[in-house]
Amino acid sequence: MISIKNSRDLQLMREACVVSARALQVGGEAVQPGVTTGEIDRLIRTYIEKSGAKPSFLGYGGFPASACISVNATVIHGIPGTYVIREGDIVSIDVGANLNGFHGDNAATFAAGKVSREAQALMDATRESLYEGIRAATAGNRVGDIGAAVQRYVEMRGYSVVRQFVGHGVGTHLHEDPSVPNFGTPGRGPKLLPGMTLAIEPMVNAGTHEVRILGDGWTTVTGDGRLSAHFEHTIAITPDGPVIMTDPDGKLR
């Protein structure tokens, strides 16, 4: 069942989204050669907890960390640990915060020092595909319009969207209905109504859309070993258009 939030719900959820957004900033600023992914995770957890919130991911389904940190060919669900970030790596960080009984969820891919032109182009395209999807998330449209907008933008640039994992509703639960694929057919799927809150999150691969999950049951890598990027915002559907709840400045716009 798709949850519709009232104005009070949206205000409370906004506060959770702001914590999540700022925690993502903290993590992104720490992406430097010589830093371990475990150190970044600790910084993120400290920020979330000092903000009076709880990391949404910690213990979720048994996940052992506060953030998913995925490097280079790791698409999503990378487990932070002893990996030392190197010059030229691209590092995807996915963060959620639970505050006031609501979750905020967002992700971005960051460059460690100077990256290749290939890596930068992939990151730029993935980021822009997120905003293409957000622009399609208007009341009266359907979920398929979001995925179609993302897919069209990505594939026009020669990349592929991951199909095995998708975006989702978000609210009092980290994952709610509806599923929000990054591919689809315009005019198909659930209708977008004011009060719906969605996590739109393109996962874009430089090569094949196929992925595989490693033996830890979490770490998901590209099927061909090429690079992947990941960007995500939590948004609200409103009568006046989509609002980015995880704006880093905490502005509803």
Side-chain angles (χ1 to χ4, degrees):
M1 184 175 69
I2 297 174
S3 171
I4 301 296
K5 284 76 173 179
N6 60 33
S7 59
R8 174 64 173 162
D9 294 336
L10 292 175
Q11 182 57 44
L12 291 173
M13 189 167 169
R14 173 188 178 182
E15 295 171 11
C17 286
V18 169
V19 173
S20 184
R22 291 179 177 163
L24 180 61
Q25 282 187 315
V26 167
E29 289 167 359
V31 172
Q32 301 289 339
V35 176
T36 69
T37 54
E39 289 170 333
I40 295 173
D41 180 67
R42 286 189 287 274
L43 288 170
I44 290 169
R45 180 174 181 176
T46 296
Y47 179 84
I48 291 173
E49 292 179 341
K50 283 187 174 180
S51 300
K54 297 179 181 178
S56 298
F57 299 171
L58 184 61
Y60 184 83
F63 191 75
S66 297
C68 300
I69 304 182
S70 307
V71 182
N72 295 331
T74 300
V75 181
I76 51 171
H77 300 162
I79 299 174
T82 59
Y83 178 83
V84 179
I85 294 171
R86 297 173 293 186
E87 180 84 15
D89 282 346
I90 61 172
V91 182
S92 298
I93 302 176
D94 192 355
V95 178
N98 180 358
L99 181 68
N100 304 317
F102 288 90
H103 295 268
D105 189 5
N106 57 178
T109 303
F110 300 92
K114 186 176 181 180
V115 301
S116 68
R117 285 186 291 180
E118 175 193 12
Q120 189 63 57
L122 176 65
M123 292 166 61
D124 291 345
T126 307
R127 183 190 299 107
E128 184 55 34
S129 76
L130 168 60
Y131 289 101
E132 289 288 314
I134 291 172
R135 282 189 280 271
T138 59
N141 275 1
R142 295 186 177 270
V143 167
D145 294 303
I146 298 173
V150 172
Q151 182 180 14
R152 180 170 56 249
Y153 186 89
V154 167
E155 293 181 352
M156 282 178 58
R157 280 147 186 82
Y159 304 122
S160 59
V161 293
V162 171
R163 288 161 169 75
Q164 190 169 338
F165 296 92
V166 299
H168 51 90
V170 59
T172 56
H173 295 87
L174 180 59
H175 292 97
E176 298 182 348
D177 291 333
S179 294
V180 185
N182 297 302
F183 56 93
T185 303
R188 301 290 293 274
K191 191 173 183 179
L192 301 177
L193 302 173
M196 291 173 63
T197 48
L198 308 174
I200 301 175
E201 52 176 321
M203 293 152 270
V204 177
N205 295 347
T208 178
H209 69 82
E210 295 177 351
V211 300
R212 59 189 180 91
I213 301 172
L214 301 187
D216 59 25
W218 287 103
T219 306
T220 301
V221 301
T222 58
D224 55 9
R226 295 183 67 184
L227 295 175
S228 185
H230 180 201
F231 284 83
E232 175 185 24
H233 271 308
T234 295
I235 69 159
I237 307 300
T238 80
D240 300 318
V243 166
I244 299 175
M245 303 282 275
T246 44
D247 182 284
D249 297 320
K251 298 176 182 176
L252 287 176
R253 65 183 187 189

